[in-house]
């Protein structure tokens, strides 16, 4: 049991010896059926490239309006931050804090931490504070809810479309791209860094 590279099932604590997996293959726990590992994960370089791309798209998603409404010559548009501010002025301002955390703060921290950790990992060294960053990434994952936000905006567009002239803005397209990128980069694929950088983690 003193071999360091055992794989432990997160759900039932069964212990397995890892086997190399090909693209599209998955290793499942024989006791509870949970997925232990997936083959053909993204490499560190690919993850870094996607993280930088996500950082750029994140700026677009926040700088440009996600939705614009026009009616009888009057028009109005809102960015993500403006919608959070509008929620803060409403009756349930606590929702604004939750929205701000899940659609702006958590994804922003995820992107910053990923870029930080991966830019060092790509040259084979562990970033300062590597362990804390990796743990923070695990804790941030459930708080990042861009897909929920995207779905909400789409429902609003469809519902308002019957009454007003509603146009999705550049921010919404960026948000859609960002949602896909965040799912790709913030998954469990990043965990291979623990084994890859094993000797150099302080
Ligand atoms: Zn299991």
């Amino acid at each position: 049991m003193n071999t360091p590279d055992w794989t432990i099932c997160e759900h039932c604590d069964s212990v397995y010896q890892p086997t190399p997996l090909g693209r599209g293959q998955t290793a499942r726990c024989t006791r509870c059926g949970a997925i232990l590992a997936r083959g053909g994960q993204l490499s560190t370089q690919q993850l870094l490239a996607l993280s930088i791309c996500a950082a750029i798209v994140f700026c677009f998603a926040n700088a440009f309006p996600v939705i614009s409404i026009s009616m009888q010559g009057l028009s109005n548009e809102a960015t993500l931050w403006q919608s959070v501010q509008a929620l803060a002025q409403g009756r349930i301002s606590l929702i604004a804090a939750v929205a701000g955390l899940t659609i702006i703060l958590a994804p922003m921290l995820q992107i910053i931490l990923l870029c930080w950790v991966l830019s060092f990992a790509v040259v084979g060294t562990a970033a300062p504070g590597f362990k804390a960053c990796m743990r923070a990434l695990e804790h941030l994952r459930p708080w990042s809810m861009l897909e929920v936000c995207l779905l909400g905006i789409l429902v609003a567009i469809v519902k308002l479309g019957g009454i007003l002239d509603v146009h999705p803005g550049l921010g919404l397209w960026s948000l859609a791209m960002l949602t896909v990128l965040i799912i790709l980069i913030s998954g469990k694929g990043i965990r291979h860094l623990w084994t890859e950088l094993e000797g150099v983690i302080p």
Side-chain angles (χ1 to χ4, degrees):
M1 288 298 284
N2 49 17
T3 320
D5 37 311
W6 290 100
T7 303
I8 301 166
C9 174
E10 277 176 44
H11 301 274
C12 70
D13 288 348
S14 301
V15 179
Y16 297 94
Q17 203 162 14
T19 41
L21 296 167
R23 187 164 279 273
Q25 285 183 315
T26 46
R28 281 181 183 274
C29 173
T30 49
R31 195 161 150 209
C32 72
I35 292 169
L36 297 171
R38 281 180 204 276
Q41 294 281 7
L42 293 168
S43 70
T44 309
Q45 282 98 332
Q46 287 170 322
L47 280 171
L48 178 63
L50 289 174
S51 302
I52 294 168
C53 182
I56 298 164
V57 176
F58 180 84
C59 296
F60 273 71
N62 280 281
F64 293 99
V66 281
I67 187 169
S68 59
I69 295 168
S70 52
M71 190 182 73
Q72 293 166 355
L74 292 165
S75 69
N76 202 354
E77 50 187 28
T79 60
L80 278 182
W81 179 242
Q82 284 166 342
S83 17
V84 172
Q85 277 180 317
L87 277 172
Q89 285 156 8
R91 234 182 259 172
I92 32 174
S93 47
L94 185 69
I95 295 293
V98 178
L101 172 72
T102 55
I103 65 175
I104 299 174
L105 193 64
M108 186 177 78
L109 284 172
Q110 275 184 309
I111 295 168
I112 293 172
L113 288 174
L114 280 164
C115 287
W116 173 252
V117 166
L118 288 165
S119 55
F120 282 88
V122 87
V123 287
T125 55
F130 176 83
K131 287 178 185 174
C133 290
M134 290 293 278
R135 284 192 196 108
L137 278 170
E138 287 287 323
H139 291 302
L140 276 172
R141 199 187 303 138
W143 287 101
S144 174
M145 296 183 201
L146 283 174
E147 60 278 17
V148 180
C149 168
L150 186 67
L151 202 65
I153 297 171
L154 291 176
V155 170
I157 289 175
V158 172
K159 286 277 176 190
L160 285 171
I163 322 161
L164 305 158
D165 205 4
V166 188
H167 300 285
L170 186 59
L172 187 73
W173 299 113
S174 312
L175 193 69
M177 270 171 70
L178 186 63
T179 307
V180 178
L181 283 171
I182 289 275
I183 291 170
L184 275 175
I185 57 175
S186 73
K188 291 173 185 174
I190 191 88
R191 286 184 189 171
H192 75 266
L193 291 181
W194 285 110
T195 43
E196 210 169 273
L197 299 172
E198 202 168 13
V200 287
I201 298 170

